[in-house]
């Protein structure tokens, strides 16, 4: 455990903290009273206490903007000094804070009135600890366009993307906070992007506005000095004509900066700049931006205040993104950025006059020089400026611009320019692969594997497959990186609880070896985490020994993690790094298909099914590549198994996943054929083999060809006979012949030789059934719980138990009824044994798919009966109630309600609904005879039922059942047959696998002589149990020479396969480019032709 703790104290711990606690707020709980006390102690407002008359005003107005009557008591009068807020205003406890609700809007937010000299640290503490805002991963300060203007559609798209970035990155957005100009549009985009989202609180839009410029601000002042919760009801009056602005209702938090003035804009600029500087300098240990919170200034349009804001940001080393085409200052900076050489004042002034003609023409020379100075200071730091063109605005242009701006600022910073790991983390966070390739992974820099481990963990968690591939190509050793601590972190803090729940459901539902192994592996990781949390002070050891599959196969464990998390592209990259790629692809297909069946989300289930099919295709294509290179090694690959996949082989996983495409490919079928025929050559005709079953001497006469010829002639004949009779196909043929003979014997006993006492033939029949029972016991012992998953095994077991039940009744020969009951049971059992013969037909290419059709059609019939039962019961009950009165015999109720309507579906017309043909001799009045109850009669002993109801009722019933329902069933059958017929060959090959494996797993002794082998096996088992203790050697996969040879060869084939895929993709892209060029040439020719036509027409 000490090793793990040391590891976590390094770079890996920082990554762990970053992703497990990326967006957090300090866990401090305050009530309303504590919050009010904190605000009143630390936040002030400013009030003018020295009246200085404004000579330009006609009224008795102070230079602070307020009338003399609006000043507080005790205000002094100043006649000589120039008004200054620091000298002439006084700080008092703030009286405006709490929650703000915008009338008729239904929106709530938080607000506070604070002095312009408020300490940034205190303000940041208010926002994070008291307002419970999560620590930002990014701050986007939006500036420009304070006046109303028509927002361009492309600009709206840029803002929409900006809000999306803020949501995905957990960012704060700073704006002016008013319902005017740029701030209004930012608020609308925030509203539009969060109106249908459940995570609206993740968008933090903080408005920083001047208190003296806010309209209707009186409603924000608290009515009393108590410390209770206060909700201010703010009215937005857009139609009100005054120089003040309304607050924007789409901002979540509002900071209203007060310097004691009224009607003076931009008084909040100083506090906003100080807050941005404080946040950018604040140390955050788990940040990807050099241990600090990244901040970027986003500029659109703007005038004097925007230029000053950019100037201050650049001096604070804050990168700026400028939107070219948005007008005014943004276009000035964007244009001057393209000027080569030294920048003269005249050039700057020319740019200002071009884009701000009215504003600049009104400026004095001193003010113009200030503008030029500010502009030149901004342009002296081009590494902090990034320009995007509004006409090129796309989905990724904003994200790329922000990431590039942050990277340029970070990489040129004196403290971080050599911090390559920090730069790489930044580019990884923003998914900028091209920048990482061009700027960091250059030929002059060598990376050690340990240097990339921290960013590799980030890339895995953030699902950055291209970065994972980049790190692997630049020297990361994946096996050294994947320690137990890393895997534990991935399977605990970065593993979905919903996936674990679905995995547990799938494991309980299907209970196969792979799902059980994967679930136990995940459970072990989670158990380690629980133990660490419980005993964090004590040192505990992770229970993964050197022999455990996780320790020996960390790459497979990582691949399984990515597959379970449904990380499509990442899992493909990791699949390329694993050993045993064919087995891994089939295992992934099996896991994904199993999870898709238990997922409640249809879309998620569909994605899992799609990814499972992709891995099945990869397995098919890779195995085809292997088989075309070396058939023998490819066939060994089919039987290779690995503990990391529950000890299953490729064939077993393909069958469990029902990957019919993999089983049906020629290489797998040739392997199955070799197993099926054993040492007999596959070129030998089946009729020759069957003929040799009866004429044994033909085997040694060269009538049958074998795959291997013995070297010693003396042993040749013995080996030929041994190879012939141990062939699974021969065993199957013997079994079929003897099973048919068994059925003939069974039929003979039932029809011609069933005596009171069992005859010799009947006793022989008992012996044969006992041998069948022994074979079923062996299969149950070998397969365990999977035995009953096979329908044919269930039929075998049912047939044997029926036979035993019939034998018990039959042996009570003294009782005639018991003897007859036994014979009846035997007759029913004969049906089961005969239907079992259908399984043998799966060996036939023509009959095999037909059996699958029958099985699926039985499912169709099952659902059809539900529909038919509705009509049948409805008609049967109505018919019985109309015709007869109070039938108490249950058997005749069943006949009338169920049996007779069922026969009517097959065309048997009921004859008791027509009074003209009704026969009273075939019914009983009293109900004491074995006849149906007579219908109700009138005084003339004629049927009482109304024929105008019963006859139409029967007609409607027979129309519904005989025409509609029966044709529906036929259509269902047609669809089922068609779906199987489409994959006729594939379905047969898949079903053939089970028959081949069944007879390959059997003892190679023909039925019924196999009984002697069973007796020998039982005696041998008992002898070993009594005399010796079995010592099982631990078989560790992938350590044998043969396994390493196969896996190494498969890795070479995998590389060839990947090269072919990439070449094919490049060829297709080149072909598409060639087609586009041809189309472009044709369009050019067409344009020329149209011009010629126009010229001639003129």
């Amino acid at each position: 455990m000490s090793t793990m703790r040391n590891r976590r104290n390094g770079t890996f711990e920082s990554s762990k903290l970053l992703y497990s606690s990326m967006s957090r707020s300090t866990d401090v709980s305050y009530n309303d009273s504590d919050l009010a006390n904190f605000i009143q102690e630390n936040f002030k407002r400013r009030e003018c206490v020295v009246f200085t008359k404004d000579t330009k005003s006609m009224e008795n107005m102070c230079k602070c903007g307020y009338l003399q009557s609006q000043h507080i008591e005790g205000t002094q009068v100043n006649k000589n000094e120039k008004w200054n807020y620091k000298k002439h205003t006084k700080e008092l406890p703030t009286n405006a804070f709490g929650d703000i609700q915008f009338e008729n809007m239904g929106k709530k937010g938080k607000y506070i009135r604070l002095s312009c000299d408020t300490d940034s640290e205190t303000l940041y503490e208010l926002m994070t600890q008291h307002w419970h805002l999560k620590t930002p991963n990014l701050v986007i300060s939006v500036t420009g366009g304070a006046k109303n203007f028509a927002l361009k559609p492309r600009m709206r798209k840029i803002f929409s993307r900006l809000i999306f970035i803020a949501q995905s990155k957990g960012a704060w957005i700073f704006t002016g906070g008013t319902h005017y100009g740029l701030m209004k549009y930012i608020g609308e985009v925030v509203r539009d992007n969060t109106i249908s989202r459940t995570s609206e609180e993740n968008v933090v839009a903080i408005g920083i506005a001047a208190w003296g410029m806010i309209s209707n601000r009186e409603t924000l002042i608290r009515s009393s000095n108590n410390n209770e919760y206060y909700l201010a009801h703010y009215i937005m009056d857009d139609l009100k004509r005054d120089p003040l602005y309304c607050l924007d209702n789409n901002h979540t938090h509002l900071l209203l900066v007060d310097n004691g003035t009224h009607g003076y804009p931009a008084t909040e600029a100083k506090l906003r700049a100080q807050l941005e500087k404080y946040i950018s300098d604040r140390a955050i240990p788990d940040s990807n931006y050099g241990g600090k919170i990244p901040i970027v200034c986003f500029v659109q349009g703007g005038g004097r205040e925007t230029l000053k804001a950019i100037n201050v940001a650049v001096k604070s080393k804050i990168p700026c993104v400028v939107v070219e085409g948005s007008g005014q200052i943004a276009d000035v900076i964007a244009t001057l950025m393209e000027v080569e050489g030294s920048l003269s004042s005249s050039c700057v002034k020319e740019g200002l006059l071009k884009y701000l003609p009215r504003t600049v023409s009104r400026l004095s020379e001193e003010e113009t020089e200030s503008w030029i100075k500010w502009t030149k200071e901004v342009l002296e730091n081009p590494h902090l400026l990034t320009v995007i063109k509004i006409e090129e605005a796309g989905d990724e242009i904003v994200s790329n611009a922000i990431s590039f701006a942050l990277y340029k600022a970070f990489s040129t910073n004196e403290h971080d320019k050599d911090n390559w790991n920090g730069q790489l983390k930044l580019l990884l966070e923003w998914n900028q692969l091209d920048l990482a390739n061009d700027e960091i992974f250059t030929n002059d820099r060598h990376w050690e594997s340990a240097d990339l481990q921290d960013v590799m963990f980030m890339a895995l968690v953030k699902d950055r497959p291209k970065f994972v591939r980049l790190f692997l190509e630049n020297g990361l050793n994946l096996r050294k990186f994947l320690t137990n601590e890393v895997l534990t972190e991935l399977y605990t803090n970065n593993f979905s609880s919903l996936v674990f729940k679905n995995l547990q459901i799938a494991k309980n539902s299907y209970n196969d070896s792979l799902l059980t192994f994967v679930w136990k592996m995940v459970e072990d990781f989670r158990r380690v985490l629980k133990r660490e949390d419980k005993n964090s002070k004590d040192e505990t050891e992770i229970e993964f020994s050197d022999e455990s599959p996780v320790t020996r196969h960390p790459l497979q464990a990582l691949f399984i993690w990515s597959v379970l998390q449904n990380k499509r592209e990442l899992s493909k990259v990791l699949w390329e790094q694993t050993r045993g790629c064919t087995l891994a692809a089939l295992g992934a297909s099996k896991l994904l298909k199993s999870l898709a069946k238990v997922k409640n989300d249809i879309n998620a289930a569909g994605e899992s099914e799609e990814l499972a099919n992709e891995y099945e295709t990869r397995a098919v294509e890779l195995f085809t590549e292997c088989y075309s290179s070396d058939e023998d090694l490819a066939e060994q690959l089919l039987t290779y198994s690995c503990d990391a996949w529950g000890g299953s082989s490729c064939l077993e996983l393909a069958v469990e996943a029902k990957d019919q495409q993999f089983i049906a490919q020629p290489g797998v079928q040739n392997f199955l054929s070799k197993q099926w025929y054993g040492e007999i050559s596959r070129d030998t005709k089946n009729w020759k083999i069957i003929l040799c079953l009866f004429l044994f001497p033909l085997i040694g006469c060269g009538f049958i060809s074998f795959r291997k010829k013995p070297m010693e002639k003396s042993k040749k004949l013995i080996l030929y006979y041994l190879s012939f009779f141990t062939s699974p196909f021969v065993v199957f043929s013997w079994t079929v012949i003897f099973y048919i003979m068994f059925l003939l014997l069974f039929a003979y006993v039932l029809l011609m030789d069933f005596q009171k006492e069992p005859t010799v033939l009947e006793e022989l029949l008992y012996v044969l059934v006992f041998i069948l029972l022994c074979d079923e016991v062996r299969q149950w012992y070998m397969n365990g719980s999977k035995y009953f998953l096979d329908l044919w095994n269930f039929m075998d077991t049912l047939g044997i138990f029926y036979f035993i039940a019939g034998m018990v009744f039959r042996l009570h020969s003294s009782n005639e009824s018991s003897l007859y009951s036994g014979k009846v049971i035997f007759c029913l059992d004969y049906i089961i044994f005969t239907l079992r013969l259908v399984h043998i037909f799966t060996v036939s290419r023509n009959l095999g798919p037909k059996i699958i059709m029958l099985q699926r059609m039985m499912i169709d019939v099952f659902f059809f009966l539900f529909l038919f039962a509705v009509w049948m019961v409805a008609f049967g009950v109505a018919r019985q109630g109309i015709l007869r009165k109070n039938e108490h015999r249950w058997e005749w109720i069943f006949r009338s309600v169920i049996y007779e309507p069922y026969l009517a579906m097959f065309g048997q017309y009921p004859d008791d609904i027509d009074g003209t043909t009704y026969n009273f001799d075939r019914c009983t009045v009293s109900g004491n005879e074995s006849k149906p109850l007579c219908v109700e009669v009138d005084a003339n002993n004629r049927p009482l039922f109304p024929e105008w109801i019963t006859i139409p009722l029967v007609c409607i019933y027979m129309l519904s059942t005989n025409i509609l329902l029966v044709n529906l069933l036929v259509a269902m059958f047609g669809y089922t047959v068609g779906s199987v017929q489409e994959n006729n060959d594939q379905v047969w090959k898949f079903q053939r696998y089970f028959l081949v494996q069944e007879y390959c797993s059997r003892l190679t002794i023909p039925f019924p002589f196999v009984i002697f082998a069973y007796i020998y096996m039982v005696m041998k088992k008992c002898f070993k149990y009594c005399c010796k203790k079995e010592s099982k050697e631990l078989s560790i996969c992938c350590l044998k020479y043969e396994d390493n040879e196969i896996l190494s060869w498969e890795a070479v084939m995998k590389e060839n396969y990947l090269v072919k895929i990439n070449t094919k993709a490049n060829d297709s892209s080149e072909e598409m480019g060639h087609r586009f060029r041809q189309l472009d040439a044709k369009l050019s020719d067409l344009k020329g032709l149209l011009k010629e036509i126009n010229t001639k027409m003129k």
Side-chain angles (χ1 to χ4, degrees), residues 284 336 858 934:
I284 303 295
L336 295 177
M858 290 296 295
C934 290

Side-chain angles (χ1 to χ4, degrees), residues 955-973:
C955 294
I956 294 173
Y957 171 73
M958 297 192 72
L959 175 68
S960 301
T961 55
N962 293 29
I963 305 299
L964 297 180
L965 290 182
V966 172
N967 280 281
L968 173 63
L969 182 62
V970 172
M972 292 168 65
F973 286 166

Side-chain angles (χ1 to χ4, degrees), residues 64 67 193 287 448 455 500 562 600 703 722 890 1051 1093:
C64 69
L67 296 173
N193 280 267
S287 169
E448 297 292 338
V455 289
F500 179 72
S562 63
N600 295 325
F703 192 70
L722 186 62
W890 285 104
I1093 294 173

Side-chain angles (χ1 to χ4, degrees), residues 544-562:
F544 291 119
S545 62
D546 294 338
E547 292 79 18
S548 68
V550 175
T551 305
R552 289 187 291 107
H553 305 287
L555 296 180
Q556 281 82 347
L558 178 62
F559 174 64
I560 291 173
W561 172 82
S562 63

Side-chain angles (χ1 to χ4, degrees), residues 105 179 184 235-241 246-247:
M105 298 293 178
H179 195 67
K184 173 184 176 181
I235 300 174
M236 291 178 59
D237 189 0
D238 292 336
L239 301 178
K240 186 177 180 181
R241 294 184 175 273
C246 293
L247 292 173

Side-chain angles (χ1 to χ4, degrees), residues 404-429:
F404 187 55
L406 293 174
Y407 174 74
K408 285 198 301 182
F410 186 83
S411 59
T412 55
N413 192 334
E414 293 182 1
H415 300 290
D416 299 313
K417 63 181 179 180
D418 295 326
N419 184 4
W420 304 111
N421 194 270
Q423 296 176 29
L424 190 55
K425 285 183 179 180
L426 175 64
L427 296 178
L428 176 61
E429 174 72 26

Side-chain angles (χ1 to χ4, degrees), residues 500 503 507 514-527 544:
F500 179 72
L503 184 63
K507 190 265 297 185
L514 177 58
L515 286 171
T516 302
F517 167 77
V518 173
W519 179 83
K520 285 183 178 179
M521 179 181 68
V522 178
E523 178 66 18
D524 288 341
F525 281 122
R526 296 172 73 89
R527 192 181 298 117
F544 291 119

Side-chain angles (χ1 to χ4, degrees), residues 119 163 216 220 243 252 351 353 387 514 526 827 907-908 1060 1086:
D119 181 49
I163 302 305
N216 298 326
L220 303 178
T252 57
L353 287 170
V387 178
L514 177 58
R526 296 172 73 89
C827 292
Q908 183 173 331
K1060 288 183 178 180
L1086 185 59

